[in-house]
Amino acid sequence: MNNSEKGFIPVMLTPFNEDGAIDYNGLTQLVELYLSAGVSGLFANCLSSEMYELSEKERLELVKHVVKVVNGKVPVVATGSFGESIPQKAEFVNKIYDTGVQAVIAITGLLAKEEDSAQVFDQNVAQLLDLTGNVPLGFYECPVPYKRIISPEQLGRFVNTGRITYHKDTCLDIEQIRAKIAVTQGHNFGLYDAYMAHAVESLKAGSAGLSCIQGNFFPELVVWLCDNYNNDDEQVAKVQQFFIDHMDVMHAGYPVIAKYCLQQRGLPISMFTRTKTTTLTQEVKTKIDALINNYDVLKGELEIKFEVV
């Protein structure tokens, strides 16, 4: 996972049975869908996975299952920064790494309290690095429990340790993205942008790829953009505008609407979520159905052959 090739790293959903248990058969099919779409890696046990609603045992079993199904075809990363204290977080980081992932992701909002200074955050990161040996780590500026954005200067220092190989960025600021890329050049490191409104700009600026929730609706389209972003043509502009135009509908009631979309496209998974989200009303379903129809038109224009089933 570095800047040499552009790739899409999905923030994975977690399929559940209607009784709330993890649907491992559905998870297998979901992994296979991502792989068939051409993804460059997978991010398991993340916010889209409903990680805060999983037990410690479930988090480990889920990641082990993903790693097993992937079977080395692409790298897998997964969140591991759970626990009250930094030593407890380090202990779980080591457990997640033992599942076979390439890097363990730390949620920036779990490494310091919202009121803590950048200095406290830096000290906590240093302690986590000390307690996790040579485990490759990454950061995710997750919006829950709160969004802590890492500055370019901080990221540069962390990456210079040789331990930070991955960063999922949610700053929503293309100038910040450019600055972060500039200070991390020359390292075994990749920045993956979550914000699809400036996806093409980010890829052209040097990001390693994209890691966005929109890929849980149309993973093959995000892969297409990563493959074609450097073609200055109408198709690239149209795909970028498609994501901008449908930003709101793909965020409203997520992740249940993403599960509904994939279900409508042919993936046999339940819409059950443990996360308390907006009720999937008929109005919302109608909007997603229209979104799928709009995508089918675009898909035809781009001659994308991918099918969910």
Side-chain angles (χ1 to χ4, degrees), residues 208-222:
L210 304 172
S211 186
C212 52
I213 69 166
Q214 288 83 354
N216 283 324
F217 296 80
F218 312 113
E220 71 278 19
L221 185 60
V222 184

Side-chain angles (χ1 to χ4, degrees), residues 12-27 30 46-55 58-59 62 255-256 259 263 268-275:
M12 294 184 62
L13 299 171
T14 298
F16 295 101
N17 295 315
E18 289 298 333
D19 64 0
I22 296 176
D23 174 11
Y24 285 100
N25 289 331
L27 182 58
L30 180 63
C46 56
L47 189 61
S48 290
S49 312
E50 304 178 60
M51 62 181 178
Y52 291 118
E53 280 65 53
L54 302 176
S55 68
E58 286 175 322
R59 290 166 183 156
L62 180 143
V256 65
K259 293 182 177 183
Q263 186 187 79
I269 61 171
S270 165
M271 290 184 291
F272 185 96
T273 60
R274 295 184 185 177
T275 302

Side-chain angles (χ1 to χ4, degrees), residues 165-183:
T165 63
Y166 186 97
H167 178 64
K168 175 175 161 61
D169 196 280
T170 67
C171 73
L172 315 183
D173 183 342
I174 190 61
E175 295 307 322
Q176 283 278 308
I177 295 293
R178 291 191 176 103
K180 289 178 179 180
I181 291 168
V183 298

Side-chain angles (χ1 to χ4, degrees), residues 28-298:
T28 296
Q29 292 181 74
L30 180 63
V31 170
E32 291 172 346
L33 181 152
Y34 290 134
L35 294 175
S36 297
V39 304
S40 297
L42 293 172
F43 186 171
N45 192 40
C46 56
L47 189 61
S48 290
S49 312
E50 304 178 60
M51 62 181 178
Y52 291 118
E53 280 65 53
L54 302 176
S55 68
E56 178 175 318
K57 180 180 179 182
E58 286 175 322
R59 290 166 183 156
L60 290 168
E61 290 178 346
L62 180 143
V63 176
K64 287 178 184 177
H65 187 85
V66 171
V67 170
K68 180 180 179 181
V69 176
V70 169
N71 194 28
K73 295 182 180 71
V74 297
V76 178
V77 301
T79 305
S81 54
F82 296 100
E84 293 300 318
S85 65
I86 297 299
Q88 288 173 334
K89 295 180 196 300
E91 182 180 356
F92 195 67
V93 163
N94 290 324
K95 289 180 180 179
I96 286 288
Y97 190 60
D98 287 343
T99 66
V101 297
Q102 179 165 326
V104 182
I105 307 304
I107 304 298
T108 55
L110 294 179
L111 295 180
K113 297 177 182 178
E114 189 168 7
E115 63 270 20
D116 286 340
S117 66
Q119 182 179 12
V120 170
F121 177 82
D122 291 356
Q123 291 170 347
N124 289 345
V125 171
Q127 185 182 11
L128 185 68
L129 291 171
D130 287 342
L131 294 174
T132 51
N134 294 317
V135 174
L137 297 177
F139 294 120
Y140 171 20
E141 295 167 337
C142 183
V144 181
Y146 73 97
K147 185 188 288 192
R148 177 179 282 266
I149 300 297
I150 299 176
S151 72
E153 293 76 18
Q154 283 179 300
L155 186 60
R157 290 198 303 273
F158 298 142
V159 171
N160 279 335
T161 67
R163 293 283 306 283
I164 305 300
T165 63
Y166 186 97
H167 178 64
K168 175 175 161 61
D169 196 280
T170 67
C171 73
L172 315 183
D173 183 342
I174 190 61
E175 295 307 322
Q176 283 278 308
I177 295 293
R178 291 191 176 103
K180 289 178 179 180
I181 291 168
V183 298
T184 55
Q185 291 294 318
H187 293 275
N188 179 27
F189 167 81
L191 182 150
Y192 291 82
D193 202 340
Y195 191 42
M196 289 303 290
H198 63 214
V200 172
E201 285 186 274
S202 180
L203 292 167
K204 288 183 176 181
S207 64
L210 304 172
S211 186
C212 52
I213 69 166
Q214 288 83 354
N216 283 324
F217 296 80
F218 312 113
E220 71 278 19
L221 185 60
V222 184
V223 170
W224 184 95
L225 192 60
C226 288
D227 290 342
N228 294 279
Y229 74 95
N230 217 21
N231 300 330
D232 291 318
D233 58 23
E234 292 183 5
Q235 287 188 330
V236 171
K238 184 173 286 190
V239 172
Q240 176 66 92
Q241 194 61 46
F242 176 85
F243 284 119
I244 293 172
D245 291 344
H246 298 94
M247 185 78 67
D248 290 343
V249 69
M250 284 192 270
H251 278 82
Y254 183 84
V256 65
I257 58 169
K259 293 182 177 183
Y260 173 74
C261 180
L262 290 177
Q263 186 187 79
Q264 294 303 106
R265 297 190 68 201
L267 186 69
I269 61 171
S270 165
M271 290 184 291
F272 185 96
T273 60
R274 295 184 185 177
T275 302
K276 304 304 180 184
T277 59
T278 304
T279 302
L280 191 60
T281 63
Q282 186 57 51
E283 180 183 2
V284 173
K285 288 182 179 180
T286 299
K287 289 181 179 179
I288 299 300
D289 292 341
L291 171 65
I292 294 171
N293 290 335
N294 290 339
Y295 171 65
D296 285 341
V297 173
L298 178 61

